[in-house]
Amino acid sequence: MKFIAGNWKMNGSIAALRNMAAALRDIDTQNKVVLCVPYTMLGVETNGVSLGAQDVSAHDHGAYTGEVSANMLKDAGAEYVIVGHSERRQYHGETNDTVRAKAAAAIAAGLTPIICVGETMDEKQAGKTMAIIESGVRESIPGDTNGKIVIAYEPRWAIGAGLTPTSTEIAEAHTLIAKTLESMGLGGTPVLYGASVKGGNAAEIMSIPHVDGVLVGGASLKPDDFIPIITSVK
Ligand code: 13P
């Protein structure tokens, strides 16, 4: 069983989500499928497909105009929330500390955070990939996870670029993450790979050791692109 999550980013509509839910209803899969959609779509009936948000406030409630709390996400129908996506880190200055606080808020509300880590092109070229991944994992995970977290490794230089690391690079990154989680007492935490996953490469990527699933951006928007990813593995 693999964990296959779509990240719609700022795309789609309620009608598009209804259409996706209808298309997913009849597929034959044991895999866990989650769609992380814009806030406005969280109330849509999806016939058992779990929904997630793409960000959450670190605060409980109060004077934080524009923010949405973890309890509100839960109230609206979310089970998951992506935290620390590279686009939040890049455009909103989120650090491992911010991400940890948001993940803690999500866990406290009973949501499962999908915590993203990954290196930029500059960090990769400076030979810092492994150090960035390890510090990302150690610093972005709250002390008390309640057994409810998912990690996503997303090499930031490969997102939306049609680029993917080699299988060896993905294996090295995921082995490091699995070892780091083990050393933190979090062995068995699912670790997803994300960046330019498509129907044509999904099965190969998910056959790499310690890759428990995928986090899919662009190819999760249309059933014709997303379903082949879900059905590429048992
Ligand atoms: P792409 O699949 O479009 O590269 O996006 C990956 C991603 O950022 C998923 O969170």
Side-chain angles (χ1 to χ4, degrees):
M1 203 269 284
K2 296 290 187 183
F3 189 112
I4 300 183
N7 174 10
W8 276 21
K9 308 192 180 185
M10 198 172 71
N11 294 296
S13 63
I14 287 172
L17 180 55
R18 288 200 178 115
N19 181 48
M20 177 64 84
L24 293 177
R25 188 171 42 212
D26 298 325
I27 64 169
D28 181 21
T29 182
Q30 303 296 316
N31 297 320
K32 172 74 186 167
V33 179
V34 177
L35 286 170
C36 295
V37 294
Y39 296 131
T40 52
M41 300 168 204
L42 287 174
V44 169
E45 172 50 58
T46 52
N47 315 305
V49 176
S50 297
L51 292 181
Q54 302 168 11
D55 184 31
V56 63
S57 178
H59 304 287
D60 232 25
H61 65 275
Y64 300 102
T65 301
E67 296 200 27
V68 180
S69 76
N71 281 318
M72 291 169 186
L73 294 182
K74 180 116 183 157
D75 191 37
E79 294 173 56
Y80 294 83
V81 59
I82 296 172
V83 290
H85 189 274
S86 76
E87 288 145 21
R88 299 293 313 173
R89 291 177 187 259
Q90 181 175 348
Y91 304 132
H92 300 272
E94 294 193 7
T95 62
N96 290 338
D97 288 345
T98 324
V99 174
R100 188 174 64 249
K102 290 185 171 193
I107 292 163
L111 297 170
T112 298
I114 301 172
I115 301 171
C116 301
V117 300
E119 77 286 2
T120 62
M121 183 53 99
D122 283 353
E123 288 161 348
K124 178 180 168 63
Q125 285 173 340
K128 293 184 184 159
T129 298
M130 293 293 138
I132 292 293
I133 292 172
E134 182 167 353
S135 59
V137 171
R138 289 197 185 281
E139 295 169 15
S140 302
I141 298 177
D144 186 4
T145 64
N146 209 11
K148 282 189 72 159
I149 57 166
V150 173
I151 301 296
Y153 168 56
E154 297 208 314
R156 292 166 63 172
W157 51 272
I159 292 176
L163 299 169
T164 44
T166 64
S167 296
T168 309
E169 287 172 325
I170 295 175
E172 279 170 8
H174 279 253
T175 301
L176 172 66
I177 294 170
K179 276 192 187 147
T180 307
L181 289 166
E182 188 80 46
S183 78
M184 296 169 76
L186 298 171
T189 297
V191 184
L192 316 182
Y193 168 81
S196 300
V197 176
K198 306 182 280 288
N201 62 14
E204 188 186 338
I205 289 171
M206 284 189 272
S207 72
I208 297 171
H210 304 297
V211 176
D212 302 307
V214 285
L215 179 54
V216 186
S220 70
L221 292 170
K222 292 190 188 140
D224 284 353
D225 295 328
F226 196 38
I227 291 172
I229 295 173
I230 300 167
T231 55
S232 72
V233 287
K234 288 275 175 262

